[in-house]
Amino acid sequence: MNREPLHVLHLEAIAADHELVRRSAGAPGGSFKFERAANRAEFEAALNRGGFDLILADHCVPGYEGMAALEAAQIRQPNVPYIIVSGPIGEDRAVECLRHGARDFVLKERLERLPAAILAALANTGGPKETDGRQAQKMETVGRLTGGIAHDFSNLLTIISGYVSMLLDDESIPAASLEPLKRVFTASRQATVLVRQLLLFSRTRTPKREVVDLNTEVESVVAVLGRLLGRTIAVEFEASPDSPRVSADMGQLEQALVNIAVNARDAMPRGGRLSMSVGMHARGAKGTALASKWDHACITMHDSGKGIPAAVLPRIFEPYFTSKEEGRGTGLPTALEIVKDHGGWIEVDTEVDVGTMFRIYLPLTQAEAAGSPAPGAGAAPRVGKATILLVEDETNVREFAAAVLQNDGYNVLQGKTGEHALEVWQWHSAKIDLLLTDVVLPGDLSGPQMGALLMAEKPSLRVILTTGYSCDSVTPLSSNGVLSLVLGKPYTPRILLKAVREALA
């Protein structure tokens, strides 16, 4: 059912400034309807009519003192959040406005902060007279704003984590610089988890299972752990020759592996070794002649730490139990819940002063458990380097992606918008093998629309769609039975190159 947009009253004397504020506030999906009041009479008449969900007000309207406008709104519409959007008014006056009921103060020179201010104001509203339907509508708008903020944050994290990852892989970096870089990389990974939580809240991402190659996915996590755990802990990985495939939400599964790895790190305060491997498992009889065909994959994580005492072992998966100092949990209960939610279980073997081994069991996909070949198995990568058309309106993200691709030997052509990319295509279509484009682009042509046009003209073209929103919200394109790939932001150089090679395979 279509819902009416939320009604915003905007006190602003300058029409051009009103338009800038309206555009800056715009939640994805056009969730706001703005009404402009240019002076005192129009503003107070609108307050008397009511029906507004949000008030944005300039503090410097000619003939109308800012505190008077705030007071009028507090008297006539006390339950409607009031945000000042103005030029500089001085710190003391801004604080006074906040004390008298304004929810926030946003400078016109910093309008990029407006969506977050609106998000916070709407999230904290909902008086007793408000209907359930209206509150649900407000929360839907809050969710859309959250998704937009998460999208922009994902672009920033792509730049931060991407360049830091490149520096950490540079053997010429001085040793004194490695630890600060690792801390930045760790912070970027933590921020990525926060973005996922924002997308879940915004309803633009739901936990979604997809069939994944466990070797590839766990190896990607190992690359992160090598930086996360520090140089005193060696992280080793051994892949399974069988390339087991499971149905998993990799965001959740990555969290489980990181939680167990951090617990292992705490058990090795002076350093040590964390060995990880992927294998196959038959639950029936654990390797005896009675065992059935493989029905589970197994991720093994073996640390050389101090082990778990016998008295503590039975309680390690209890939600509120920890043997560590105050404020430091284990993360193990969360890991177990994630694995159980995937239809698996965890087994633990430990010996004091020797180490601990966690075995994580996950059910194989039905086709693989029955012995069918994995989809795409045996596909050979394209020989030689390809030409890639890279379309991304965020300059820093585009330059980062181009640098990664060119460093790996690819030829890269760049476009800022869909229309710009079509001009590039017109001159170079014969040699372009892959389109790598953001989903949301300025102008009238989105990434998927452009991709569909180019694939119709050249069916052999491969496409990767990138997005700072949820990958679940993007519908892959199809040409000759081959689906485009969807790559979520933020991505590291390793993840980007992996997606490109897979698309070209």
Side-chain angles (χ1 to χ4, degrees), residues 173-201:
I173 294 294
S177 302
L178 287 177
E179 191 58 35
L181 287 171
K182 287 179 180 178
R183 290 181 182 273
V184 174
F185 187 82
T186 300
S188 72
R189 297 300 300 179
Q190 293 170 337
T192 299
V193 174
L194 293 178
V195 169
R196 287 178 179 147
Q197 293 173 344
L198 285 173
L199 291 175
L200 282 171
F201 171 75

Side-chain angles (χ1 to χ4, degrees), residues 240-504:
S240 167
D242 301 295
S243 297
R245 298 174 70 87
V246 300
S247 177
D249 181 319
M250 279 312 303
Q252 292 183 332
L253 191 55
E254 177 181 323
Q255 180 183 349
L257 298 179
V258 169
N259 286 359
I260 294 174
V262 169
N263 191 68
R265 179 198 62 190
D266 294 343
M268 299 181 285
R270 297 182 180 179
R273 183 184 70 259
L274 176 63
S275 301
M276 297 180 63
S277 64
V278 173
M280 304 283 269
H281 173 75
R283 189 173 190 179
K286 291 193 175 181
T288 70
L290 299 177
S292 60
K293 291 183 178 180
W294 305 125
D295 54 11
H296 284 75
C298 177
I299 305 171
T300 301
M301 304 179 68
H302 188 188
D303 69 65
S304 60
K306 56 189 177 183
I308 304 173
V312 174
L313 182 59
R315 304 189 63 189
I316 61 173
F317 291 114
E318 292 181 12
Y320 301 105
F321 174 79
T322 178
S323 59
K324 302 179 182 181
E325 59 267 30
E326 185 176 354
R328 297 187 67 183
T330 66
L332 296 181
T334 300
L336 178 60
E337 287 304 311
I338 290 173
V339 173
K340 288 171 63 176
D341 189 49
H342 282 73
W345 73 96
I346 299 178
E347 295 178 357
V348 185
D349 292 327
T350 186
E351 186 175 347
V352 175
D353 297 328
V354 174
T356 301
M357 180 181 294
F358 286 82
R359 295 186 183 90
I360 302 167
Y361 296 96
L362 299 168
L364 293 169
T365 57
Q366 292 183 358
E368 184 151 6
S372 303
R382 178 174 298 186
V383 178
K385 293 301 181 182
T387 296
I388 299 173
L389 175 55
L390 170 62
V391 189
E392 168 63 62
D393 62 301
E394 290 288 339
T395 302
N396 289 330
V397 176
R398 186 176 67 253
E399 291 179 350
F400 158 69
V404 171
L405 295 169
Q406 290 168 342
N407 188 58
D408 205 53
Y410 293 100
N411 302 311
V412 179
L413 304 172
Q414 300 184 38
K416 299 179 181 179
T417 66
E419 290 77 8
H420 184 202
L422 290 182
E423 295 178 8
V424 177
W425 175 265
Q426 183 178 359
W427 291 99
H428 303 284
S429 60
K431 65 180 182 181
I432 295 175
D433 302 289
L434 172 69
L435 171 67
L436 174 63
T437 178
D438 195 10
V439 169
V440 180
L441 296 171
D444 298 327
L445 203 59
S446 70
Q449 290 172 330
M450 175 183 56
L453 288 174
L454 301 189
M455 292 173 80
E457 181 178 332
K458 186 176 182 178
S460 63
L461 181 71
R462 297 295 177 256
V463 177
I464 299 177
L465 303 173
T466 67
T467 180
Y469 294 102
S470 165
C471 293
D472 308 344
S473 63
V474 181
T475 302
L477 303 175
S478 177
S479 177
N480 288 343
V482 178
L483 292 177
S484 63
L485 299 182
V486 180
L487 177 62
K489 298 177 181 176
Y491 50 74
T492 62
R494 181 187 184 91
I495 293 174
L496 173 60
L497 293 174
K498 172 180 174 292
V500 168
R501 289 164 188 159
E502 184 177 343
L504 293 173

